[in-house]
């Protein structure tokens, strides 16, 4: 099962799967698994997502763990909840913002921000009640778009939250989001096709050909 394909800054392709992390160099795949080299410190073969920060460090989101990877060794990133307790997390997605900040979506502890390569903290305020995040995106204006399991699609400008797809019938239906070069926003659902919000408008409209 492939959960993400990621192109790094050197042109290598990384594939996150539930049976290890795969790196494609243009000629062959190199498979990285927990049992291959215990000294590497890989926490789990159940890999959901991957991202690279501005220094080239990889962040790996796993079932029950958040780790960094420098190409040789995996290291744990300590995750703390709103009470300051260290907690394990099911990492679902990443977002690297235009300012370089990395946000982390989880199942169980909402939205995290990476403090440094060894620490991540759950975000408080108006986002504290989010439990499960499916996907993240950032628009040209710096607004964060958060696909949640229970609260629809949230638009966060850093101070306030606006809710889209708030109807109860959309609960558990929103899955993915992407924003194109023109700042149009697309939201994918599990059984209702794709919705689009054209840049400069307020409403999402269903794309009929997607069913």
């Amino acid at each position: 099962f492939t959960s993400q394909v990621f192109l790094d800054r050197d042109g290598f392709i990384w594939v996150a799967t539930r049976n290890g992390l795969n790196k494609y160099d243009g000629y062959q795949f190199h498979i990285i698994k927990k049992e291959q080299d215990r000294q590497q410190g890989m926490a789990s073969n159940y890999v959901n997502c991957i991202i690279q920060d501005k220094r080239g460090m990889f962040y790996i989101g796993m079932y029950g763990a958040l780790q960094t990877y420098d190409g040789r060794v995996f290291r744990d990133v300590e995750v703390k909840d709103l009470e300051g307790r260290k907690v394990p997390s099911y990492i679902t997605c990443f977002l690297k913002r235009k300012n370089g900040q990395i946000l982390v979506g989880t199942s169980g502890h909402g939205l995290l921000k990476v403090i440094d390569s060894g620490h991540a903290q759950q975000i408080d305020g108006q986002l504290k009640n989010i439990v499960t995040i499916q996907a993240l995106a950032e628009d040209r204006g710096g607004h964060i778009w958060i696909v949640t399991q229970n609260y629809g699609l949230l638009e966060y400008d850093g101070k306030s939250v606006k809710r889209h797809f708030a109807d109860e019938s959309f609960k558990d239906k929103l899955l993915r989001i992407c924003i194109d070069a023109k700042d149009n926003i697309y939201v994918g659902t599990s059984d209702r096709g794709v919705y689009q919000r054209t840049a400069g408008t307020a409403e999402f409209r269903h794309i009929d050909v997607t069913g």
Side-chain angles (χ1 to χ4, degrees):
F1 181 89
T2 298
S3 49
Q4 185 190 357
V5 178
F6 175 76
L7 179 67
D8 74 18
R9 66 182 191 179
D10 295 317
F12 295 111
I13 296 173
W14 298 79
V15 183
T17 79
R18 292 182 179 178
N19 193 30
L21 181 63
N22 301 275
K23 179 182 180 183
Y24 181 62
D25 62 8
Y27 299 95
Q28 60 183 336
F29 280 95
H30 302 271
I31 302 172
I32 304 169
K33 299 182 74 172
K34 178 179 179 179
E35 55 270 19
Q36 286 178 342
D37 185 352
R38 298 289 181 179
Q39 293 183 340
Q40 276 192 312
M42 190 175 186
S44 173
N45 288 331
Y46 197 130
V47 183
N48 281 326
C49 48
I50 179 173
I51 205 164
Q52 190 176 30
D53 70 13
K54 59 185 179 183
R55 299 175 301 161
M57 179 70 76
F58 292 99
Y59 286 79
I60 314 296
M62 302 173 176
Y63 183 94
L66 172 60
Q67 293 192 302
T68 58
Y69 180 58
D70 61 6
R72 295 170 297 152
V73 177
F74 291 85
R75 293 183 173 86
D76 292 336
V77 178
E78 184 180 81
V79 175
K80 289 189 176 181
D81 65 11
L82 297 177
E83 283 71 46
R85 299 172 299 192
K86 183 179 177 181
V87 291
S89 291
Y90 184 115
I91 308 301
T92 58
C93 57
F94 290 114
L95 171 65
K96 183 168 72 172
R97 301 191 63 189
K98 296 176 179 63
N99 62 9
Q101 181 187 46
I102 292 179
L103 300 180
V104 186
T106 76
S107 176
H109 295 94
L111 187 64
L112 314 175
K113 60 181 177 182
V114 171
I115 306 301
D116 55 43
S117 61
H119 303 86
Q121 174 68 51
Q122 185 176 357
I123 293 178
D124 203 344
Q126 295 192 46
L127 301 177
K128 67 181 180 181
N129 292 323
I130 302 174
V131 177
T132 299
I133 293 174
Q134 308 280 31
L136 296 164
E138 182 182 19
D139 65 23
R140 284 182 182 175
H143 291 197
I144 306 301
W145 293 81
I146 306 167
V147 178
T148 74
Q149 187 176 64
N150 296 312
Y151 296 98
L153 175 64
L154 304 182
E155 177 186 358
Y156 180 57
D157 64 5
K159 297 180 181 179
S160 61
V161 174
K162 182 177 180 180
R163 190 177 176 190
H164 304 266
F165 298 95
D167 189 280
E168 187 69 16
S169 66
F170 281 101
K171 185 177 180 180
D172 295 330
K173 302 299 184 183
L174 306 184
L175 294 178
R176 295 290 181 265
I177 185 169
C178 67
I179 303 177
D180 69 16
K182 296 180 179 179
D183 218 32
N184 300 314
I185 301 174
Y186 301 85
V187 176
T189 70
S190 61
D191 62 359
R192 303 183 187 188
V194 179
Y195 289 78
Q196 177 188 10
R197 192 184 85 159
T198 303
T201 64
E203 300 298 324
F204 282 88
R205 297 182 181 277
H206 183 258
I207 301 176
D208 293 339
V209 294
T210 63

